[in-house]
Amino acid sequence: MSKIVRRAFILNFLILLIGLFSYSQLTQSLFEKEFFYLVGILFLSTCIITFLIYKTIIIPLTFDLNNTKKEFEKFNEDMKKSNHQKAFELELINTTLQEKVKEQRELNESLESKLILEIQSKEKKEILLVHQSRLAGIGKVAINSVQACEETINSVNFLLQNINNEHKKININNNFIDKSMEQLNRIVSEMQIKNEELKNFIKPNEVKKEFFLDEIVMEALEMLEDTFMNHNIKIDYNFSKSINLYGFPNEINQVIFSILQNAKEALVEKNIDSKKVFISIKKDRDFAYINIVDNAGGVPSALLGNIFEPYFTTKKYKKSSGLGLFLSKIIIEENMQGKLEFENASEGAKFVITLPISKENE
């Protein structure tokens, strides 16, 4: 029996007792036969009423309450699940939004970087166009100047020859005139060398083509082989074969020739006992390297910054124009997009030529 039924029965029983007590006070017939009949009838009525209340009111109410409780619990559980699902969805949306914001930020940064690079590239192209335009103008002026200078040198040579011829006919011995003529001849000779180097440099470039670096270096060595032997200069070399480059082989040859010629003149001028020149060719993944080293003692530290300046020379007597290394650096760094560097080695000068290996030729 449920708690509610017990409480209802107790309530009805209390009402019965109150009724019997009231009845006994009114009739003064306590514990008589009629009184017990009445007690039995009232007790039976109380049980029936309690049973009817239980069946008609308490059971349906309890059932409804149980159903309501189950529905509420189900609703509460559904709400919890729904809230959990919503929270998960919100967290997922938040994560997605954060990723989108991050992607957008990265995209903005990437676009900003690309924009900066594009602006820099555009500025470099504009500077390069201006530079090329200036070089083209300078080239035209230089060609005309070289041609005019060549004509002037030829005229001066012609006049000097006439003067020499007339001087021999007159047969006058004058040391001042002889020295002056010798000095003029030397000056004209130096002008011819400078003019020839400039003419070779500013003439139209050859067509770019593929070539093997070791073959070009060997060609330069062969051109100087006799003069090196005459001055007892020993050449050692260590070549990596079949380094295939793309560019201007004749200009590379000119650079190697100029550096070797400088080494020869330094060795002879300083009268080195055991004259040596060492040449090596090697490469890595992206670059080829030419090292040219002599044992002529190198260059004073104070002059290192002037090595590639035009008209600079360390020779006591001016036997060249001083343009060889200047033009060589332009050829390597401007025409071949490489690098020409100088340093003092342990015994002498060291030139390092770095040339890019084209990916197409690997």
Side-chain angles (χ1 to χ4, degrees):
M1 187 180 292
S2 66
K3 189 184 290 185
I4 296 175
V5 175
R6 286 197 301 271
R7 289 177 179 178
F9 181 78
I10 292 170
L11 179 62
N12 288 332
F13 185 74
L14 289 173
I15 293 171
L16 173 63
L17 290 177
I18 293 170
L20 288 174
F21 178 76
S22 300
Y23 176 76
S24 66
Q25 293 294 322
L26 291 172
T27 60
Q28 299 294 322
S29 59
L30 185 61
F31 302 119
E32 291 184 0
K33 186 177 181 181
E34 290 83 1
F35 178 76
F36 287 107
Y37 283 148
L38 181 61
V39 170
I41 292 169
L42 289 174
F43 180 75
L44 184 61
S45 299
T46 299
C47 292
I48 292 170
I49 290 169
T50 301
F51 179 75
L52 291 173
I53 290 171
Y54 175 72
K55 283 291 185 182
T56 57
I57 297 174
I58 295 175
I59 289 178
L61 183 61
T62 303
F63 182 76
D64 291 340
L65 286 174
N66 288 333
N67 287 340
T68 303
K69 182 180 178 183
K70 289 179 180 178
E71 289 177 358
F72 180 77
E73 289 177 349
K74 183 179 179 183
F75 175 75
N76 190 36
E77 189 68 24
D78 291 342
M79 286 298 296
K80 287 182 179 179
K81 291 180 179 178
S82 177
N83 289 336
H84 182 72
Q85 182 68 23
K86 294 292 184 184
F88 177 75
E89 291 177 356
L90 285 173
E91 186 177 354
L92 185 62
I93 291 171
N94 187 42
T95 304
T96 305
L97 286 174
Q98 288 179 351
E99 290 178 354
K100 292 292 184 183
V101 170
K102 184 179 178 182
E103 290 176 0
Q104 188 66 35
R105 189 185 300 115
E106 290 176 352
L107 179 61
N108 290 339
E109 291 175 355
S110 176
L111 289 174
E112 187 177 353
S113 300
K114 289 181 179 178
L115 181 60
I116 292 172
L117 290 174
E118 189 66 28
I119 292 172
Q120 291 176 347
S121 176
K122 186 178 179 181
E123 290 175 351
K124 287 181 180 178
K125 288 179 180 177
E126 290 176 352
I127 293 171
L128 183 61
L129 286 173
V130 172
H131 181 65
Q132 288 175 341
S133 299
R134 288 178 178 174
L135 287 179
I138 292 171
K140 291 179 181 179
V141 173
I143 290 172
N144 293 332
S145 298
V146 167
Q147 290 175 348
C149 187
E150 189 173 9
E151 292 175 358
T152 302
I153 290 170
N154 291 334
S155 299
V156 171
N157 264 332
F158 179 74
L159 291 173
L160 284 174
Q161 288 176 2
N162 289 339
I163 292 171
N164 278 328
N165 293 333
E166 292 297 325
H167 183 253
K168 288 177 181 179
K169 288 180 182 178
I170 297 173
N171 195 18
I172 299 175
N173 291 325
N174 189 314
N175 289 333
F176 175 76
I177 295 175
D178 292 337
K179 288 181 179 180
S180 297
M181 293 299 296
E182 183 179 347
Q183 188 176 3
L184 282 171
N185 284 320
R186 188 173 70 253
I187 292 171
V188 171
S189 177
E190 289 175 1
M191 290 180 64
Q192 283 178 324
I193 292 172
K194 292 178 181 178
N195 201 58
E196 190 65 26
E197 288 183 349
L198 283 173
K199 187 167 67 174
N200 290 334
F201 178 72
I202 65 176
K203 67 182 179 181
N205 286 331
E206 58 182 315
V207 178
K208 278 189 173 184
K209 60 183 179 180
E210 291 186 6
F211 61 93
F212 289 109
L213 184 58
D214 58 298
E215 294 179 357
I216 299 303
V217 176
M218 285 303 300
E219 287 178 8
L221 283 173
E222 289 171 0
M223 286 189 289
L224 289 166
E225 185 177 6
D226 292 338
T227 185
F228 270 51
M229 289 179 64
N230 291 336
H231 290 94
N232 297 316
I233 300 173
K234 182 181 178 182
I235 300 178
D236 292 326
Y237 53 86
N238 182 12
F239 290 176
S240 292
K241 302 291 185 178
S242 303
I243 299 178
N244 193 13
L245 300 183
Y246 183 74
F248 305 106
N250 289 337
E251 292 189 358
I252 299 295
N253 183 299
Q254 179 183 337
V255 171
I256 303 297
F257 182 89
S258 178
I259 294 174
L260 291 174
Q261 182 74 9
N262 281 347
K264 185 264 294 183
E265 291 175 357
L267 289 166
V268 172
E269 185 177 304
K270 294 180 180 181
N271 197 23
I272 304 299
D273 292 333
S274 179
K275 304 176 184 68
K276 290 185 293 185
V277 174
F278 175 73
I279 305 175
S280 69
I281 302 175
K282 57 183 180 179
K283 71 169 184 174
D284 56 23
R285 182 177 178 182
D286 298 314
F287 296 97
Y289 305 93
I290 307 171
N291 294 325
I292 303 175
V293 186
D294 62 48
N295 65 336
V299 175
S301 300
L303 302 178
L304 285 175
N306 302 323
I307 289 296
F308 297 108
E309 293 295 324
Y311 305 112
F312 172 78
T313 180
T314 59
K315 300 176 180 64
K316 294 179 181 179
Y317 302 102
K318 211 167 185 182
K319 300 177 182 178
S320 66
S321 65
L323 291 172
L325 292 178
F326 169 70
L327 298 179
S328 295
K329 192 170 181 66
I330 293 177
I331 289 171
I332 295 299
E333 298 188 357
E334 297 289 337
N335 296 358
M336 292 293 296
Q337 288 74 52
K339 188 181 291 185
L340 175 58
E341 298 171 296
F342 173 85
E343 64 183 30
N344 279 327
S346 58
E347 294 184 296
K350 179 180 179 180
F351 288 89
V352 180
I353 302 172
T354 304
L355 297 170
I357 298 176
S358 173
K359 299 298 182 183
E360 298 176 357
N361 299 325
E362 288 184 346

